[in-house]
Amino acid sequence: MNAIAKKLALAVGMLAIATGCATTSDKSAETQPLVNAAEVSNTQTVSQIKIDGSSTVYPITEAIANQFQQTKPQYRGQVKVDFSGTSGGFKKFCAKQTDISNASRPILQAEIETCNKNGVKFIELPIAYDALTITVHKDNSWAKDITVAELQKIWQPEAEGKITRWNQIRDAWPDQPINLYGAGKDSGTFDYFTEAIVGKSRASRNDYIASEDDLALVRGVAKDPNSLGYFGYAYYLDNKNQIKALAVNNGKGEVLPSRDTVEDSKYQPLSRPLFIYVNAEAVERNPALKELIDYYIKYAQFTATSVGYVPLPSESYEIAKARFKKAKTGTLFAGKEQIDLTISDLLKAAEGK
């Protein structure tokens, strides 16, 4: 069993404990009563819930979905979670092929227009924070930190076929090939990283090993002594015995990714919010989907921590809960990339401040 699978199993087990410890007296007006199997079969057809999108968000959603189905056996086998990257997920979501889209960036204007054209109204729910992590092979003895300017020099389109050795980045580094591993073009990580580092979304060199699967990138970096790659923080934590994280210097000193440096807004510009997008019409049509999202919001803070991401403040989940209850559709982010967005900024945006 790989590290992510083990962590998912652990998260599900811990979530089961947390669910079991919840008091049965918690009957807020915002929580709908459970739909039992007889009610479902006699009154409404429960459709399978289809989820796709970001591989970064996948561990959170997969853990939630597994425990939801264990807790509510009337919905067992009804939730299917896949990943094809944030952009790939939005293509399916806006084509009405999925009910929930996992996303490692906010929805973009072109995607909003496609959703509008197809009559897809969505509810946007922030669920955690990530720290995009720059990694090298564990036996790399020369690189301990890297600047934003050096990352730009490596990844900008002009570097293709030209910046190919470590000593071209920093004179003190060896005259050895540098082999790059990064997000594929259907990944929200690709969109975010290129905007944050290169300065323009989707502007990147093409001569690198690309994948929408973060775990595939981890394996590549772990096997290649000359590697340099980037992917979500949880995948680094799960594999830090095989790979090494570089501290990132944005001009204010070298900072390693961690929960503390994300919460303190020090790990910039590579900290970013994570989201799920929910088809509002599907919620009205499918009682299981409504219950799943209620469950997701209730346990997202716990589960995000369990799988290695940074949870949002409790207040953020209360805002998300109210937003979902009111079926408040649309995005808070004007269809644009959001770079250097801190947890505090996200909270203010959600509150409409």
Side-chain angles (χ1 to χ4, degrees):
M1 184 182 290
N2 63 49
I4 284 290
K6 289 179 180 177
K7 198 151 208 178
L8 281 173
L10 178 61
V12 170
M14 293 177 70
L15 187 52
I17 294 171
T19 305
C21 291
T23 60
T24 56
S25 61
D26 181 14
K27 297 180 180 177
S28 69
E30 296 168 346
T31 302
Q32 296 294 317
L34 291 179
V35 180
N36 65 43
E39 290 173 335
V40 170
S41 61
N42 291 332
T43 63
Q44 299 183 71
T45 300
V46 178
S47 303
Q48 185 180 62
I49 298 168
K50 296 180 181 179
I51 307 172
D52 207 311
S54 167
S55 66
T56 304
V57 182
Y58 174 85
I60 305 174
T61 300
E62 177 74 352
I64 289 281
N66 286 343
Q67 183 56 29
F68 172 76
Q69 291 174 97
Q70 290 179 28
T71 304
K72 301 174 188 273
Q74 67 268 34
Y75 299 139
R76 195 162 292 164
Q78 296 298 318
V79 186
K80 181 181 180 183
V81 187
D82 289 320
F83 59 85
S84 58
T86 296
S87 297
F90 276 132
K91 289 176 186 174
K92 296 177 183 179
F93 182 75
C94 293
K96 297 186 177 181
Q97 295 173 7
T98 58
D99 304 294
I100 300 172
S101 206
N102 294 328
S104 60
R105 57 158 173 79
I107 191 168
L108 301 179
Q109 185 59 39
E111 294 160 341
I112 294 171
E113 291 171 3
T114 301
C115 277
N116 289 340
K117 180 181 177 181
N118 293 332
V120 177
K121 293 183 178 180
F122 57 83
I123 304 168
E124 177 183 74
L125 301 171
I127 48 103
Y129 247 76
D130 180 30
L132 270 181
T133 304
I134 310 300
T135 63
V136 295
H137 190 272
K138 65 181 178 63
D139 294 333
N140 181 315
S141 60
W142 58 88
K144 295 180 177 59
D145 61 86
I146 195 163
T147 68
V148 171
E150 288 169 338
L151 286 169
Q152 183 183 51
K153 183 177 181 180
I154 293 168
W155 286 99
Q156 63 189 343
E158 297 85 345
E160 185 168 334
K162 297 177 182 177
I163 304 299
T164 60
R165 305 190 74 79
W166 282 94
N167 63 345
Q168 291 177 283
I169 308 305
R170 196 178 289 186
D171 290 341
W173 288 347
D175 183 12
Q176 293 177 202
I178 183 169
N179 301 325
L180 301 176
Y181 298 78
K185 292 184 179 180
D186 272 346
S187 170
T189 298
F190 176 78
D191 297 332
Y192 187 91
F193 183 83
T194 50
E195 178 78 26
I197 296 301
V198 179
K200 182 180 179 182
S201 181
R202 306 189 70 78
S204 174
R205 66 189 298 166
N206 295 306
D207 56 340
Y208 69 97
I209 297 171
S211 179
E212 282 76 22
D213 182 352
D214 291 45
L215 191 55
L217 298 174
V218 169
R219 290 169 177 156
V221 172
K223 292 177 181 178
D224 187 344
N226 289 309
S227 61
L228 181 141
Y230 68 89
F231 38 77
Y233 181 60
Y235 288 84
Y236 157 68
L237 284 182
D238 279 339
N239 298 279
K240 60 183 181 179
N241 61 326
Q242 303 177 64
I243 56 180
K244 183 173 75 172
L246 300 186
V248 175
N249 189 337
N250 66 1
K252 298 180 181 179
E254 295 128 12
V255 180
L256 282 164
S258 70
R259 177 171 175 169
D260 287 344
T261 58
V262 171
E263 290 179 337
D264 293 343
S265 304
K266 293 178 180 177
Y267 190 71
Q268 297 291 354
L270 294 179
S271 296
R272 57 175 181 166
L274 304 175
F275 302 87
I276 59 170
Y277 287 77
V278 187
N279 183 308
E281 181 184 356
V283 171
E284 296 179 4
R285 191 174 61 243
N286 188 351
L289 179 58
K290 196 270 180 195
E291 289 197 47
L292 172 61
I293 300 303
D294 283 337
Y295 189 93
Y296 201 130
I297 295 169
K298 183 174 183 179
Y299 292 105
Q301 186 174 22
F302 174 85
T303 308
T305 303
S306 296
V307 301
Y309 290 116
V310 178
L312 300 175
S314 297
E315 185 179 354
S316 293
Y317 297 107
E318 290 301 314
I319 294 170
K321 185 177 180 181
R323 187 177 180 85
F324 180 64
K325 182 186 176 185
K326 294 175 183 176
K328 195 168 184 180
T329 59
T331 179
L332 299 169
F333 303 101
K336 299 177 182 178
E337 293 283 0
Q338 299 289 320
I339 306 303
D340 286 338
L341 185 71
T342 66
I343 291 177
S344 176
D345 291 337
L346 179 67
L347 190 58
K348 289 176 183 177
E351 291 175 326
K353 295 181 179 179

